[in-house]
């Protein structure tokens, strides 16, 4: 992972993950919302370029995001009014992640296939990060795993293992910030280890070819 991508994960974590209650069920909705917005923006962006409305691209993209956010909120209300009420305006926060990931306000020179693959892969990676982050907060903060259902959140209570008991601290924003720091530190460490392994293998190949 490039350093810029690490900073991107930090920014998205601070902007999206921390303000939203640390329930895995909410993380599922956030991840699905982000991928929905990303897919829609990629398609609309290519449509704008095709009909040659490049000068109006920022206005059209922002208008599309607003309309899709309202539509998605109505779908969440239909699915579960309780979840929609609990999240409130936080349902719009995934838009920030899309704007951070995708340079959608500028003309895209790539093909639709290339644009979709690049942006959706990045969105998928961040969605996995979001799901893992919310899952850990749910387990560490509440001792449960939650799943969104029409009546709210279905809670699966986990048995205590090795006298582990959840701490409400991890369910708070401060606890989420601590977990985010741990996650990002682990990601950076794994990335450095992978770089060392790849460089050592490349060095061995160079030495073998030299011989």
């Amino acid at each position: 992972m490039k350093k810029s991508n690490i900073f991107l994960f930090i920014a998205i974590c601070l902007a999206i993950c921390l303000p939203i209650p640390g329930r895995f069920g909410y993380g599922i909705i956030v991840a699905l919302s982000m991928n929905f917005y990303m897919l829609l923006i990629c398609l609309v962006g290519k449509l704008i370029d095709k009909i040659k409305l490049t000068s109006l691209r920022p206005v059209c993209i922002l208008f599309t995001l607003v309309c899709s956010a309202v539509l998605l909120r109505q779908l969440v209300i239909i699915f579960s009014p309780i979840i929609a009420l609990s999240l409130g305006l936080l349902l719009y926060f995934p838009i920030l992640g899309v704007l951070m990931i995708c340079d959608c306000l500028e003309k895209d020179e790539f093909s639709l296939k290339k644009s979709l693959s690049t942006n959706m892969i990045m969105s998928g990676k961040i969605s996995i990060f979001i799901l893992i982050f919310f899952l850990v907060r749910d387990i560490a903060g509440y001792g449960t795993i939650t799943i969104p259902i029409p009546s709210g959140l279905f809670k699966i209570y986990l048995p205590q293992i090795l006298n582990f008991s959840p701490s409400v601290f991890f369910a708070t924003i401060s606890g989420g910030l601590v977990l985010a720091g741990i996650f990002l530190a682990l990601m950076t460490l794994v990335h450095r280890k992978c770089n060392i392994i790849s460089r050592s293998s490349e060095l061995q190949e160079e030495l073998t070819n030299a011989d």
Side-chain angles (χ1 to χ4, degrees):
M1 183 183 297
K2 296 179 180 179
K3 184 179 292 186
S4 59
N5 289 344
I6 295 176
F7 289 139
L8 179 63
F9 272 73
I10 295 174
I12 290 177
C13 185
L14 293 176
I16 300 176
C17 296
L18 294 183
I20 297 175
R23 292 291 197 176
F24 181 62
Y26 295 148
I28 293 175
I29 295 175
V30 170
L32 291 176
S33 300
M34 177 174 291
N35 286 280
F36 169 74
Y37 291 136
M38 180 62 73
L39 176 62
L40 186 63
I41 288 306
C42 289
L43 295 176
V44 171
K46 284 303 174 183
L47 178 61
I48 292 172
D49 294 339
K50 192 173 185 63
I51 60 179
K52 301 188 184 303
L53 288 177
T54 308
S55 60
L56 296 176
R57 183 184 179 91
V59 176
C60 294
I61 291 293
L62 293 176
F63 179 76
T64 301
L65 283 173
V66 171
C67 293
S68 59
V70 174
L71 173 62
L72 189 61
R73 177 173 172 77
Q74 293 304 312
L75 293 176
V76 174
I77 291 174
I78 293 173
F79 172 72
S80 176
I82 296 177
I83 292 179
L85 181 62
S86 299
L87 291 178
L89 295 178
L90 296 175
L91 278 171
Y92 302 131
F93 277 39
I95 293 178
L96 297 175
V98 173
L99 293 176
M100 292 177 188
I101 299 170
C102 178
D103 191 13
C104 54
L105 300 181
E106 300 293 334
K107 184 177 179 180
D108 191 356
E109 301 294 339
F110 299 105
S111 65
L112 176 60
K113 183 178 179 180
K114 177 67 174 178
S115 179
L116 278 174
S117 62
T118 301
N119 290 317
M120 293 306 297
I121 287 174
M122 190 62 186
S123 179
K125 290 179 180 178
I126 293 178
S127 296
I128 293 173
F129 173 81
I130 289 174
L131 290 174
I132 295 175
F133 181 78
F134 275 95
L135 178 61
V136 173
R137 282 190 73 186
D138 204 349
I139 294 174
Y142 300 98
T144 62
I145 296 177
T146 53
I147 300 173
I149 57 176
S151 60
L153 292 176
F154 178 73
K155 300 176 184 177
I156 302 173
Y157 290 91
L158 302 177
Q160 289 191 1
I161 301 175
L162 299 177
N163 295 323
F164 167 79
S165 58
S167 173
V168 179
F169 170 73
F170 291 108
T172 64
I173 293 180
S174 301
L177 192 59
V178 171
L179 284 177
I182 295 173
F183 268 60
L184 295 169
L186 289 174
M187 289 168 58
T188 304
L189 179 61
V190 171
H191 173 62
R192 289 179 178 176
K193 294 292 184 181
C194 292
N195 279 343
I196 292 174
I197 294 173
S198 63
R199 288 175 182 174
S200 62
S201 62
E202 290 176 359
L203 183 60
Q204 287 180 349
E205 289 181 1
E206 291 179 359
L207 291 176
T208 301
N209 293 332
D211 293 339

